[in-house]
Amino acid sequence: MSTVPFHPNRAMRVHLVDDVAVATSELLLDLVHGGEHLYVALTGGSTPQGGYVHAGNAGADWSGVSLWMSDERVVPISDERSNAGSAERALGEGVTPRDWQLVRTELDPAAAAADYEARIRAELPVNEHGVPVFDLVLLGIGPDGHCASMFPGTDAVTEMDRLVTHVDVPGLEPLVPRVTFTRPLISAATRVVFVVSGASKAAAVRAAFVDEPSVEVPSSLVTSADGSLEVVLDAAAVPTPA
Ligand code: 6PG
């Protein structure tokens, strides 16, 4: 690990783990304490699903946790492509959060994004700049370097005014419109944690966290409020030294 030159100027904690599912579960369970009202944004994609299953089976008290999604595919929650639907199924019946804050996918994507932003602004505590603060934003990374639904070349990557926006044509499957957190919202969170697994992600990890940040690689532009961006990855996802 020490031989991998993660970018020296990016304040980032890198956790090399044996099993990303177990680590994802542990980080969720470390946060979940009965009554305390917490705001957690889960991520979609396949990587966190095993972690959600583990966390859901742990018998923890989620009654203080408001669950949101850092991005959503604009499909009904019953659709297998729905990020919230996948997370809800993986967490299972053992998890009864304080509330599940779903993207209103029955609206058109722009309206759904505006509605999600308005609800975030209404519900969450804000920082000194008036930006709502999640306790945790989980993110995955795509092979193209996207995170949430900020795909390279889309306006979502450079959006600095809206906290939530929409993407009509995503860069990767499933090719359905998306609603996504933007960088200003993600960066205000207390913890921003990427979960990454497998050799197919090693090149994206290099582009996002080793090379110079670039607008071509949206994940490379993500920071966190106090510089405590975290990356949880397994050995296969670690890029080999150049
Ligand atoms: C989505 C995601 C997306 C995902 C990455 C990684 O809706 O597609 O939220 O940002 O996290 O594409 O996905 P995998 O974990 O499936 O590789």
Side-chain angles (χ1 to χ4, degrees):
M1 197 63 173
S2 57
T3 57
V4 179
F6 283 92
H7 198 284
N9 295 332
R10 296 199 68 198
M12 202 171 50
R13 281 185 285 161
V14 179
H15 309 280
L16 176 62
V17 300
D18 290 334
D19 186 329
V20 170
V22 171
T24 303
S25 167
E26 284 173 356
L27 91 87
L28 287 170
L29 295 173
D30 279 350
L31 270 185
V32 173
H33 301 297
E36 193 185 352
H37 194 178
L38 296 171
Y39 301 87
V40 172
L42 301 176
T43 183
S46 56
T47 307
Q49 302 301 324
Y52 297 157
V53 171
H54 276 280
N57 287 334
D61 178 359
W62 292 69
S63 61
V65 184
S66 293
L67 289 175
W68 301 73
M69 297 305 301
S70 54
D71 76 317
E72 184 55 283
R73 292 102 179 251
V74 183
V75 295
I77 192 167
S78 56
D79 188 305
E80 63 178 18
R81 296 168 297 182
S82 163
N83 282 339
S86 302
E88 195 173 23
R89 283 189 295 277
L91 285 167
E93 293 179 358
V95 171
T96 309
R98 179 185 175 114
D99 46 58
W100 256 110
Q101 296 284 351
L102 303 175
V103 173
R104 295 199 171 116
T105 55
E106 69 277 17
L107 302 175
D108 71 67
D115 171 76
Y116 214 41
E117 174 167 340
R119 285 158 52 206
I120 289 169
R121 286 191 185 278
E123 294 281 334
L124 272 71
V126 296
N127 65 15
E128 67 274 25
H129 307 295
V131 182
V133 177
F134 278 90
D135 293 286
L136 170 67
V137 173
L138 271 186
L139 295 170
I141 184 168
D144 58 352
H146 82 267
C147 61
S149 284
M150 295 187 291
F151 291 91
T154 62
D155 291 344
V157 179
T158 48
E159 176 62 57
M160 296 307 277
D161 294 323
R162 295 183 189 135
L163 303 181
V164 182
T165 191
H166 73 288
V167 173
D168 286 324
V169 185
L172 293 175
E173 298 274 4
L175 301 179
V176 295
R178 312 295 184 94
V179 166
T180 182
F181 283 14
T182 60
R183 288 195 283 133
L185 179 58
I186 294 170
S187 295
T190 305
R191 290 180 75 184
V192 177
V193 183
F194 279 87
V195 290
V196 193
S197 174
S200 65
K201 298 292 176 64
V205 169
R206 171 178 294 289
F209 307 119
V210 177
D211 296 343
E212 286 301 319
S214 145
V215 75
E216 307 300 323
V217 183
S219 299
S220 74
L221 303 178
V222 172
T223 56
S224 72
D226 60 357
S228 63
L229 177 67
E230 295 171 66
V231 182
V232 174
L233 79 178
D234 57 20
V238 175
T240 49

